[in-house]
Amino acid sequence: MGTVTIGVSIAVPEPHGSELQQLRAGFGDAAAHGIPTHVTLLPPTEIDEASLPAVEAHLAEVAAAGRAFPMRLSGTGTFRPLSPVVFVQVVAGAEACTLLQQQVRDPSGPVNRELQFPYHPHVTVAHGIDDAAMDRAFQELAGYEAEWPCTGFALYEQGADGVWRKLREFPFGGSVVPPQAGRVERGSVPIR
């Protein structure tokens, strides 16, 4: 067995996922159609293929302990000049995403890894394209809004063709919390 490149993310559901993917392609991002629209929990990570069952067992444990939470996207942001990325901001659900990604990368688990940059939940809409197109993405999506109840996450594998494919979904074990005008009540703990 060799190595595989995996990632863990929260999929942006339809119709929002396809809409943002089409917009990303329209800005000239050649990778758009190979990357499902998502909020990253574990960035691309190379692992031994033999450790995949342990990773899946760990992710199932993380998901079983979690419960659904409201997610809301609103407006744009950028990591420029540090990184050539324009994104749609996660304005509700960011705290829950941060807790989840910490649990996914837990030092005692099979995918313990350091991040290159501090974790910041977001949905990439332009990456590594020319500055004019990045500016256009930033401006055109400044008023973008979407919300949904996040009910789990998924494990993806990057193929030799560069396309990310879903291997397995991991639904949360708790009950669904409907969106509440983009707010998570203070003191609530979305992930157990």
Side-chain angles (χ1 to χ4, degrees):
M1 291 189 149
T3 61
V4 292
T5 300
I6 62 165
V8 178
S9 63
I10 295 169
V12 175
E14 295 306 331
H16 316 297
S18 292
E19 177 184 28
L20 288 173
Q21 191 175 44
Q22 289 301 113
L23 288 165
R24 183 173 178 172
F27 297 131
D29 191 329
H33 291 295
I35 305 171
T37 308
H38 67 283
V39 176
T40 299
L41 298 176
L42 176 72
T45 302
E46 192 173 285
I47 63 166
D48 288 328
E49 192 172 1
S51 65
L52 207 46
V55 170
E56 289 191 26
H58 171 67
L59 295 176
E61 219 174 86
V62 169
R67 69 180 178 94
F69 57 90
M71 285 280 287
R72 187 162 74 88
L73 307 178
S74 181
T76 51
T78 184
F79 294 130
R80 294 187 293 173
L82 191 58
S83 181
V85 172
V86 170
F87 57 86
V88 174
Q89 298 184 71
V90 174
V91 296
E95 182 179 332
C97 290
T98 300
L99 290 171
L100 263 179
Q101 67 87 29
Q102 288 170 342
Q103 292 170 339
V104 167
R105 295 184 310 101
D106 187 280
S108 66
V111 284
N112 174 27
R113 76 163 276 191
E114 293 296 317
L115 299 178
Q116 184 178 2
F117 300 106
Y119 182 75
H120 181 84
H122 65 280
V123 177
T124 298
V125 292
H127 180 224
I129 57 177
D130 69 67
D131 283 338
M134 298 278 267
D135 292 342
R136 199 173 110 231
F138 187 86
Q139 292 163 359
E140 287 184 19
L141 292 173
Y144 188 83
E145 298 276 337
E147 67 181 280
W148 69 93
C150 177
T151 58
F153 56 85
L155 172 65
Y156 292 82
E157 180 180 346
Q158 187 178 36
D161 58 0
V163 174
W164 287 90
R165 293 174 180 84
K166 189 185 314 179
L167 294 180
R168 181 173 166 194
E169 290 187 31
F170 297 90
F172 293 133
S175 60
V176 173
V177 177
Q180 301 170 1
R183 293 183 325 197
V184 174
E185 293 300 319
R186 201 87 173 116
S188 68
V189 181
I191 306 301
R192 290 186 289 231

